[in-house]
Each structure stands twice: as C-alpha cells, then as structure tokens.
Amino acid sequence: MLILTLLGALAAFASLSMSGAQQIGPMDVVVGTGPDANAPALGWSDGLCYQHILHVRPGDTLTFNFGPHDVQKMSSASHLFSCDFTDAIPLAGVGESPYTYTVTEQDAIDSAIEGGIHFSCSVGAHCSGMQRLTVQVEQALAVELIEERTKLPTSDYLLGVSESECSLYQSGVEVEDSNFLEQNALQSVCTDPVLGNDGRYHVSCLSGPATLTPGGVMNSARIMHYPYPRDRRVVVGERTWEFVEGDPKPGTIEGVKPVPINQLYVHHLSGRVILGQGQEGVRRSEPDAPFPVPFGSLTGDEGDLMIFHIIDLREVDEWLECAECRCRDSTGTYLNVGGGDGQTGGVSCCTNCTALEGPTVDYRMRYNVSYSDISDDEPITNVQMLTTDISPVVGKSIEYDVPSFEFIKPENRKSNDPTNPDYYVQRLERVGAFRNIFKMEFFGKDYAGPETVRLLRCVGHLHIAALGMWIEDATTGEIICDGTGTYGTGSDDKGFLTAVNVESYETPLEFSADRQVRLIAEYDATTLHTGVMGMYFLFISSDVEVSRKEARLSFNVCRDNICDVNLLPTPPSTEVIADALACRDALPTSPACRFGGLCSCKDFVEHPDSTGCGGVFSSEMGDLPVNDMCALYCDDCPTGCEDELPNGPICSFGGICSCEDFVNAPESTGCGGIYSSEWGDSVVNEQCAKYCDACPKKSNLDVIKKEILEDLERELSQKCQFATDECEKMLTNLYTCGSGWAERTDKVDANVDSVVKKHGERLALKHSKLGSESLHRAAKEVGTIMPCDGDSISGTLGEAPTFTMEEDVNDSAPNSTAIAVGVLGGIAIAGLIILVVGKARGQKSDRQFDEGGKDDKDRSSSFAATRRETAYGDETGRFREGGLIDETETDHGV
C-alpha cells in the first residue's frame, strides 16, 4: 500500500512537472512589484498604498528594495496603525537594501492573533505617508507543502490615493483610478525631443493630474513620463518645473496655466526626474543647471517615480498652520504649544485643512528638460550627489520644530542677549569631518566618494521662516556654501520662501574628505514653526569617466566555452568568517545613529532618555530595547535557540507539543537520542535543542556562502554601474560558470562553485540591465542564451538587449518533460529502496528546480547544473568549509 501511495504521489508530481510552470514550496515575494507583469516595481517607499499580502506561508521570503528608508517589524496591528514604534524590531537600516525577511512558524501564530505581521519605516514621517505593510501568514498542512500552490502571494499597491482611499483599498473596496499605469504614466505626456541651438535636445512634459479640493493635501507617488532615452545614458542639461492647472488638449501640453505660489504650496518633492526640492525651486533653473565641461549628471539611475507633497491653500484662513502641517487637538484646533514636549507638526499631521469638497482642481507638474549625448571623442566625468540634514542636532530625523523664541534652548539661540535681534533666531550647528556629515545619494550609505572632494554645486532645501543654510570651514569660518533664503513680496507670493541661494563652482573647489566643516541652519523664531527641514544636496565629481560606449543601459549576455575561475569571487578569510559569526552592536547601522547622531553604545546607554542596559531608550518614535541596539556592549549576546517541536508536524499531527513529554516518552531514548514512530526516527536534539541544551552553533558553511554571495553582489554593483568592458567580461563569465557547461581554467573553491551555480545565471542577467529597473519594463523576456559568437555581446549604442529564443537547436538535448520523467524514475527507485531497507528518516528536499529564479524555458540547462551540483555538492556532504573542486572530478553533460 505504501508503494502504491508513493507511486501515486510521483504520478501526480509528474503531471505537475509536465503541465508547465508550477509553484511548489517556498516563494519569494518582492514588496511593491505591482499587480501584474506590466506594473513598475516601485519597491519599499513612502507615498504608496500597499495592499495586504495574502497567502504567505512559513518558509516564504519577503524582499524589500528601498532607498532612504528602513524596515521595522511592528509589534502589533495597533502599533502599525498609530505609527508607534515601541517594541518594533529594526530589521534593516538606511543603506542596507535589499533586505530579505524569512517568514517563520511563529509568524503564522502571530498572524492569527494580530491579523498579520506588520512592517513600516521609521524614517521621518514615512509611516504616516502610508509606508505600512501587513502580511497575512497561513499555516500550510503537510500535504499542501508538496502540492501546487493555487493561491500565490503578490505585493500590489496603488499610486496617487489618499489615506482614506488607501484604507478602502486595503479592505477590499474597489478604488477609482486603481489602474495606476493608465491613470499616471499614460496621462503624463511629453513633446518629441527638439534639437536646440545649444546642441541639446529639449523636451517639455506634463505629469498626470493630481486632483485636490480647497485645503486638500496630497502626499503620494506618481509615475512620470520619462523624458530621456531609455536605451542609454545622456548628459542632463537644464531642468525647470512648476505646477499648472487647466485641461490640456489631448496628447499635448497646451491649454494649461501656471498656478500662483500662494494657491498651491509645494511642501517637498522626492525623485530625480527633476531635482526634487520644495516651493523654493519653482520656476528656477539654478538648482538644476548644466555642469561645466567635462562634468555632467548622467541619466539612467533616477527612474520615473516622483513623490508629490502638495497642499491646496484655497479657502484656507490659517494658511501658515496648514502649510506647516500643524497638528490639531481633539476639537480640530491647531496646537500652539511653543515647540515644547510632544509633537506639534509635520507630515504625520498633514490632513485636509478644510472640509470643503469642491470645487476641485486638477494640478499637473510641467517640467522642461534638455540633454545631450556623450560625444565620441570626449568622455564625461560623472557627477555624484550627496545629502546631509541638520535635524539630528535636536534629536530628530528630516523634520523638526522651531520653537517660539521663549522656548529655544540657550545652546540653540544665535544670541542670548534679549536686546539683540538674533535672540529671536534659532541657529543649529553640526560640526564634523565632511565624510561623516554627508551620505551618498539621498541619505544612502556612508560617504564613499573620492578622498579629494571636488565640489561643483550646493543646493539647499528649507521651509517657510528659514533665514538660510550654510556650510563653512569649522576652523577658519570660510564659507563653502551660501544658502541664504529669499522671500516673495508680490501679491501672489508674499511671505513665501521663493528661493534658496545656489552656490556653483565653474572650477571645482577641492578639499580633503576629512576637512572639518560646520553645517548651519537658521530659522526666524518670533513664532512657532512646525515640520521644517534643513537639508543640503551637494554635487561633487565622482572622478569616474564615462564614454559613449559605456553609456549603454543593457548588455547582450552570451554563454562562452571557458569558465575563467580567476574572475569568480574568492572565499572569505577566516577573519571575515569570525566577524560574521561574532556578536556585534546594531546601533552604528541603525536609524538612531544615521539620523539621530547617537552612534556610541556608551553614549546611548548613558543617555538621559535611556534606562540603561536591560532597559529601553525612549524617543518620539517609541521605545527601543537597549540590549537590542547594544548587545555586545551590554554583554547580552544571544547564545540560545528555540525548540522546534511546538511548531512542527509532531505537535500539529501527533499531539506531542511539550519537550518534557517528548524527551521522556517511552518511544524516546532521551536527549542526544532518537524518538521512534511509525513515520521513522526523529532526532531528539533537533526537536528540543533548547530543552536539551544542544543549541547548534551558526553554521560556518552558511556564513561562508552568504559572504560569497554578498561579495559577488557588491562587486557586480561596483563594476557594472556603467557598461564597461570589465563588466561585460564579468557578466559573460558569471553566466558561463553558472550554467555549468563550460570547461574551467583551474580548480574552484567548493563553496564558490555552489554559490555561482545557484545564483550566477540569475545575477548575470539581472546586472545586464543597467540603471533603474523602471527603464527596462518593456524589455523582452529572456529566452535561452545563445553561445558567444564574438558579435553577440558588443552591440551598439542605443541597442536594447536582443535575447534569441533557441528552439530545438539540439534534438538530442533533453527537454523538461523528459527530465521530469527521469527524475521521477530515480525518485521512485530511491523510494522503493528506502522502503525495503526500512530507513524512514526525513530528508530535506534538494529542490532541484530552485536555481535562483530561472525562467521555465531554461529548465533543461538548470537541471543539468543541478545534477552536477548534487553529484559533488553540499547536498551529499562533500562540500567542505574550504577546499577545491578539481575540474577532473566534474561531469560536463546530461
């Protein structure tokens, strides 16, 4: 009977294998990928409304791709709804993208209690900006784990909706304009490029409509019409923008008129289709002007997403409170507590300023850009953006309040003499080495630019009441960047910040990255101002020259005959392994350090807001467990583990959930022994590791492979920013080595070989598309990769990748059906042998078709690589923590 059952299961599996693409076992869900293949993958960002992710099982993974954000696991649904980060678990900090979370059995239990597991972002007010996610985890029955999954988890989202519309969408109500691609991208139009007398192409565009009521607020993401070529990088010329109203003629940018400054307040913009600023950037060219030759800002990495935070001031009496997103009390009255304790304003309090429902206005951004191609004989030196923020001085992140003068702390006054006008000015200063104050791109990773900084431009972002922002030499007081503010005096802009001075250098200003600088921001404090910002965007030379050929945004990957082992990553050193296994403090890479300036565990533990080791650190974003941030400092490194028994099938189906009962049962030989049942023997210590004091140490093998994969990803990201010959060679070799067909030039480390076989092909194809993923939405699906013929890699400038579908090239090559039958035959024989011998020990599936996300059309080559891997791979126990695989030991064909 058992044999018939086994054969029946095998027949069912064969039917699944032959019927096409199926999903069995764990899945990876990429957050923010959209409802279908045509949707842009926007990742983890504020301004999006995330639908709940359903049908997730333990073992599935969630991948978060993000920019200036972090990933926090919230303690409950109520904490998520109120954006209360008390007891939240910090999973990944700013600059640590991508992050992959593995769903656990405990998550399934928590999900049943809390309606899901919950994630958010603690940076600024991003949580209030709808950057919240609920994932509902279901517990799968044992039989379901080997069946096709009929309900697959997806990560859908909406763009351009309000908080209330988002709540409806998440509850299952159909929301108007849910087809974001049609309602955003297709309603955003651009003129055809026109070559101007300056040698640049000029394009004018309109975004899709943003509809607001009087006093209405919008803080949401929009897909813009990308105004530059998608097949190559070009040099940005001048860019300007403004908001307009009216009904444009279909397919044109005509029929609209500019919106007055005092009608629509631009709180801030995020994105790089144009340089995102705020009200001070409207109709100004200086912040986004061309850089002096040979420097240039290159397109390709910015994507087509912009976040609009705009406020309609029509019919608003208290316009300043509305524009500053002042918080209200329970009666709806704006708070005016002088910037004391508690929250008084910011994005999290940005709600409609009136109850009026009309008349509505469709606002659109009009943006004008120019660009030029890189010349054949003169490369461009790419310009790199850096960012910094003044708010950590007062323990905030991005936004902060300016108290009215009587509440300003003495150390934050420009003068403490009441007779001096500067007594009414809040002056914040941040001093340190240039490299320690500035982050890469938009609050990305720590400074990694040239040791000698060549500064080209400084652009500030400030709010109403700002007097200015400056960067000066901390020793001499020499002004490096002057960001003095200018205010309107006309009928349509009086009282509004209309410009922040832009400091530009025709000849780059050179200085050491270790130069001590002082960042200064000053605000008028005669009255309270809330939710203000003080940021600087600096543009420096990256010292990386890019040629016309290297401006391509795609490669044609091919499969070579030789795998050059010397181009593969090397195994990590014993020091790296030891460091990876070591306990360390999480504080230096946490938001508390990046945005709050607290990077020393000594300072963190002894801070007035901390109750010390074993306690909590209280902040406006909630309480942080001190030991979670400073485990090593507090001598609280985790040493134990959890028992698997309560979450396993022995408990679910056998009813034995207590390790004490399990270990002492008549069928058990106790800790260190086995538990015998009709399903086979279970290792007691594996089920009750904590109870038996047998917690396993972190596997060196797992750490080694993780380090190799991360090192490979880092190297690809560094070498394949541009379409260099080095990148081209590396990708082709990686695909060749990953496919497993080619002859190797030398012996290869066993663990490197395992990682390359599992991930090489996928990573090579991923990195063959350079720049933002949004530029490759229309790329053809990758078919079978052809052998290299000497011409298929190079391509020409502007070519899109052309992957040839190889059909029936080799009639003798096994197809996926034949392989499936062969595999099943082997499994059947193995099953019979097991039954005869009586060995019923559970074995982990080697998941032969899980080759890192290969397309089903590559299954035959995927299986070939898998078969070779299992022939001498770690599934058979032959992989060592070190060691080599000799080419003579391997098998080259199916």
Side-chain angles (χ1 to χ4, degrees), residues 74-82 114-116 118 134:
M74 308 298 281
S75 58
S76 70
S78 61
H79 283 76
L80 178 75
F81 182 77
S82 61
E114 289 290 339
H118 311 285
T134 293

Side-chain angles (χ1 to χ4, degrees), residues 69-205:
H69 308 283
D70 63 15
V71 183
Q72 302 268 336
K73 187 179 181 186
M74 308 298 281
S75 58
S76 70
S78 61
H79 283 76
L80 178 75
F81 182 77
S82 61
C83 292
D84 180 356
F85 287 86
T86 302
D87 297 329
I89 301 173
L91 300 177
V94 176
E96 296 178 353
S97 174
Y99 169 75
T100 298
Y101 177 84
T102 301
V103 179
T104 66
E105 295 281 354
Q106 185 61 46
D107 288 331
I109 298 171
D110 295 341
S111 181
I113 299 171
E114 289 290 339
I117 55 175
H118 311 285
F119 303 89
S120 188
C121 173
S122 68
V123 175
H126 292 180
C127 178
S128 302
M130 296 187 290
Q131 194 170 358
R132 304 185 296 269
L133 175 66
T134 293
V135 179
Q136 294 183 3
V137 184
E138 57 192 29
Q139 181 66 64
L141 299 175
V143 67
E144 292 176 329
L145 297 177
I146 61 171
E147 291 181 347
E148 176 191 357
R149 295 175 69 166
T150 56
K151 295 180 179 180
L152 304 182
T154 60
S155 181
D156 304 344
Y157 60 84
L158 282 183
L159 290 170
V161 297
S162 65
E163 179 84 18
S164 59
E165 289 173 326
C166 182
S167 297
L168 289 173
Y169 170 62
Q170 291 171 338
S171 65
V173 177
E174 185 173 348
V175 178
E176 187 179 358
D177 294 345
S178 61
N179 188 334
F180 59 87
L181 204 58
E182 178 180 349
Q183 298 300 328
N184 288 274
L186 297 186
Q187 290 193 33
S188 180
V189 297
C190 287
T191 61
D192 291 333
V194 175
L195 184 61
N197 295 329
D198 58 357
R200 297 187 179 95
Y201 290 95
H202 294 254
V203 179
S204 294
C205 306

Side-chain angles (χ1 to χ4, degrees), residues 537-673:
F537 309 110
L538 265 59
F539 297 87
I540 68 171
S541 168
S542 68
D543 292 354
V544 176
E545 291 188 345
V546 182
S547 68
R548 183 181 177 92
K549 177 185 175 183
E550 293 168 344
R552 290 174 297 156
L553 285 172
S554 62
F555 281 123
N556 291 333
V557 175
C558 62
R559 188 177 65 239
D560 211 340
N561 296 321
I562 301 295
C563 166
D564 188 346
V565 173
N566 295 320
L567 296 179
L568 298 179
T570 57
S573 65
T574 54
E575 291 80 6
V576 170
I577 297 171
D579 183 63
L581 290 167
C583 172
R584 59 170 55 84
D585 295 325
L587 181 67
T589 57
S590 72
C593 173
R594 291 180 179 274
F595 295 102
L598 272 175
C599 302
S600 162
C601 273
K602 183 178 186 298
D603 296 339
F604 185 79
V605 171
E606 297 176 358
H607 195 277
D609 294 329
S610 170
T611 57
C613 288
V616 297
F617 181 96
S618 299
S619 73
E620 63 167 353
M621 302 306 295
D623 292 341
L624 296 174
V626 173
N627 286 16
D628 286 355
M629 293 289 100
C630 298
L632 181 62
Y633 181 88
C634 291
D635 194 23
D636 189 34
C637 293
T639 57
C641 58
E642 298 299 323
D643 294 325
E644 294 292 332
L645 182 70
N647 299 319
I650 295 176
C651 174
S652 302
F653 301 104
I656 303 178
C657 303
S658 162
C659 273
E660 183 171 359
D661 295 340
F662 182 75
V663 171
N664 298 309
E667 296 88 352
S668 170
T669 58
C671 289

